[in-house]
């Protein structure tokens, strides 16, 4: 056992040396955990921001002016007037996301107690912005009409007092969500890519033959690649969480970083094993990239890191329970967002241990067959 651990340690040092000598991979790790996290967090926003609004005003009354004056930045850009015959062409070209159309005698009909119709055309290409923006505009119009009819600019009293308390993200800031999720997804991507690339690099450089004649076992080679590449990823992820997410973006981390690192280590055993498994079916980096791409897309898109698991079909939720990324995302969200402790996330930890053992054994069996066929 002592000799096995010694071999694993020395082979791991060799892996770290090979990684250090590969500037492309160093640049990739740096980019993925710094610039990529920052650009995605600040650029890919989920809330409505600077949405373009146009209007066709047949009434030109004080009420329509009041409604248009309430549509304000930063949620919306200042509304721009257009002619009725320009609505279709402007929306076809993507110039405006929302177009309001006020009918003639709109104010008079409101004051007379009739129910005139306001047409709101929405470009639903971007569904989240379209849906949320339409709700915001409806609220603005309803509030301004109610204030105009009552002649009182104060908030209209409701029969109930609804108190909304957003937990874990008081300002509903998408940066808080996307920045952390980007790190979690990048851990998955790099774990597969780095370990797979390490094995393929051995073949391309001809060093796999050196390993075959050395007194080392496939398990020692595989575990060495896992701990060496996993260590680089864990260090990069923790630094990114501290320097980029907490310091640069100002996103608070609610839970225990050591507990997060512990779960990440368990998760890395499975995804790094997956990377080696995929690499055994390929002979070059282009082949490995083509094989890994659909696997990574499914693991990230259906893990719950982008859309909630509850919004997926039940059968798909059940299938994704076999993916370690699903449990890692739930584990990471509970700790980093909600400050959960071990008593809350232990189930996900146990499942990740089981899946990691399964992925490792399957990958080791395939790796042994590959090594045996290369002798």
């Amino acid at each position: 056992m002592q000799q096995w651990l010694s071999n694993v340690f020395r082979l791991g040092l060799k892996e770290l040396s090979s990684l250090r000598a590969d500037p492309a991979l160093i640049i990739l790790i740096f980019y993925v955990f710094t610039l990529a996290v920052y650009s995605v967090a600040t650029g890919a926003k989920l809330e409505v921001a600077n949405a373009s609004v146009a209007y066709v005003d047949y009434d030109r009354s004080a009420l329509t002016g009041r409604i248009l004056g309430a549509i304000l930045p930063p949620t919306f850009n200042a509304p721009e007037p257009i002619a009725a015959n320009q609505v279709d062409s402007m929306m076809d070209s993507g110039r405006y996301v929302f177009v309001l159309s006020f009918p003639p005698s709109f104010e008079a009909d409101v004051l007379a107690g009739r129910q005139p119709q306001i047409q709101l055309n929405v470009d639903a290409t971007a569904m989240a912005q379209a849906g949320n923006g339409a709700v915001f505009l409806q609220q603005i119009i309803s509030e301004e009409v109610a204030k105009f009819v009552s002649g009182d600019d104060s908030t209209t009293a409701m029969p109930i007092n609804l108190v909304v308390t957003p937990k874990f993200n008081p300002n509903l800031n998408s940066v808080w969500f996307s920045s952390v999720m980007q790190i979690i997804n990048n851990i998955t991507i790099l774990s597969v890519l780095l370990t797979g690339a390490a094995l393929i690099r051995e073949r391309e450089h001809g060093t796999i033959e050196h390993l075959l004649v050395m007194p080392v076992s496939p398990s020692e080679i595989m575990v060495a690649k896992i701990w060496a590449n996993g260590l680089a990823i864990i260090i990069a992820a923790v630094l990114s969480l501290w320097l980029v997410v907490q310091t640069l973006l100002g996103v608070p981390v609610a839970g225990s970083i050591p507990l997060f690192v512990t779960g990440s280590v368990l998760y890395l055993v499975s995804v790094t094993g997956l990377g080696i498994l995929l690499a055994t079916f390929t002979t070059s980096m282009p082949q490995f990239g083509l094989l890994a791409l659909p696997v990574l897309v499914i693991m990230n898109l259906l893990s719950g890191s982008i859309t909630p698991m509850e919004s997926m079909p039940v059968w798909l939720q059940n299938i994704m329970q076999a993916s370690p990324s699903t449990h890692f995302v739930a584990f990471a969200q509970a700790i980093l967002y909600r400050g959960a402790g071990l008593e809350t996330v232990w189930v996900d930890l146990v499942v990740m241990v089981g899946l990691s053992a399964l992925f490792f054994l399957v990958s080791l069996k395939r790796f042994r067959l590959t090594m045996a066929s290369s002798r």
Side-chain angles (χ1 to χ4, degrees):
M1 185 62 182
Q2 184 177 359
Q3 184 61 43
W4 187 90
L5 292 174
S6 176
N7 290 342
V8 168
F9 177 73
R10 294 179 183 277
L11 288 171
L13 293 180
K14 180 191 75 69
E15 288 295 325
L16 291 175
S17 178
S18 299
L19 179 61
R20 185 182 59 186
D22 194 331
L25 289 180
I26 296 296
I27 293 173
L28 175 64
I29 295 173
F30 175 81
Y31 169 78
V32 163
F33 283 109
T34 55
L35 298 177
V37 173
Y38 182 83
S39 59
V40 171
T42 56
K45 293 186 176 182
L46 303 178
E47 61 265 28
V48 182
N50 301 317
S52 54
V53 182
Y55 65 93
V56 179
D57 190 358
Y58 289 106
D59 192 38
R60 300 184 182 277
S61 62
L63 179 54
T64 58
R66 182 186 184 115
I67 292 172
L68 295 172
I71 302 174
L72 300 170
T75 305
F76 301 99
N77 290 332
E80 300 178 6
I82 61 173
N85 58 4
Q86 294 180 299
V87 173
D88 289 338
S89 61
M90 289 293 185
M91 297 200 73
D92 289 343
S93 64
R95 175 72 180 276
Y96 299 105
V97 179
F98 304 99
V99 177
L100 286 165
S101 181
F102 297 98
S105 305
F106 172 69
E107 180 182 300
D109 289 341
V110 169
L111 293 175
R114 294 185 285 270
Q115 293 184 330
Q117 293 183 347
I118 301 176
Q119 185 180 52
L120 174 60
N121 297 295
V122 182
D123 179 359
T125 305
M127 295 180 294
Q129 186 182 50
N132 294 334
V135 171
F136 293 160
L137 287 174
Q138 291 177 53
Q139 292 175 345
I140 291 172
I141 293 171
S142 298
E143 290 177 2
E144 294 303 319
V145 170
K147 291 177 182 178
F148 181 80
V149 172
S150 65
D152 185 4
D153 285 342
S154 61
T155 303
T156 305
M158 298 290 290
I160 61 172
N161 184 23
L162 178 64
V163 179
V164 179
T165 306
K167 301 287 288 184
F168 316 119
N169 190 351
N171 296 322
L172 304 178
N173 190 346
S174 63
V175 173
W176 287 27
F177 174 79
S178 56
S179 60
V180 176
M181 284 298 99
Q182 188 68 12
I183 291 178
I184 293 173
N185 289 336
N186 289 344
I187 289 175
T188 301
I189 295 172
L190 281 186
S191 297
V192 173
L193 293 182
L194 288 186
T195 49
L199 179 57
I200 294 174
R201 188 170 56 239
E202 300 274 14
R203 292 175 179 168
E204 293 179 343
H205 294 173
T207 54
I208 190 70
E209 287 79 8
H210 298 168
L211 293 175
L212 293 175
V213 297
M214 291 176 62
V216 293
S217 64
S219 63
E220 292 170 347
I221 298 173
M222 184 171 168
V223 172
K225 293 184 181 298
I226 288 176
W227 85 254
N229 290 283
L231 177 63
I233 293 171
I234 287 294
I235 292 175
V238 172
L239 289 176
S240 178
L241 197 61
W242 173 39
L243 296 175
V244 179
V245 174
Q246 291 184 280
T247 304
L248 189 58
L249 295 174
V251 178
V253 174
S256 169
I257 298 297
L259 181 58
F260 170 71
V261 171
T262 301
S264 299
V265 170
L266 296 175
Y267 174 65
L268 281 171
V269 175
S270 60
V271 284
T272 51
L274 176 61
I276 293 177
L277 177 64
L278 295 177
T280 59
F281 290 98
T282 62
T283 57
S284 65
M285 279 301 298
Q287 289 181 352
F288 174 71
L290 291 175
L291 183 60
L293 182 61
V295 175
L296 291 173
V297 168
I298 291 175
M299 288 182 67
N300 282 342
L301 292 182
L302 301 181
S303 64
S305 63
I306 297 177
T307 57
M309 290 293 296
E310 293 78 9
S311 65
M312 303 178 192
V314 175
W315 64 268
L316 186 56
Q317 294 182 39
N318 295 332
I319 291 176
M320 288 307 298
Q321 297 306 308
S323 171
S325 62
T326 301
H327 301 280
F328 179 61
V329 167
F331 164 85
Q333 287 180 344
I335 293 175
L336 300 180
Y337 291 139
R338 300 188 286 273
L342 183 60
E343 70 282 356
T344 303
V345 299
W346 70 269
V347 175
D348 289 313
L349 280 175
V350 170
V351 174
M352 282 194 291
V353 169
L355 290 176
S356 294
L358 176 63
F359 274 68
F360 178 81
L361 293 175
V362 172
S363 301
L364 179 59
K365 181 178 180 180
R366 174 65 190 177
F367 185 59
R368 281 174 173 165
L369 292 175
T370 303
M371 295 286 287
S373 63
S374 300
R375 292 183 182 274

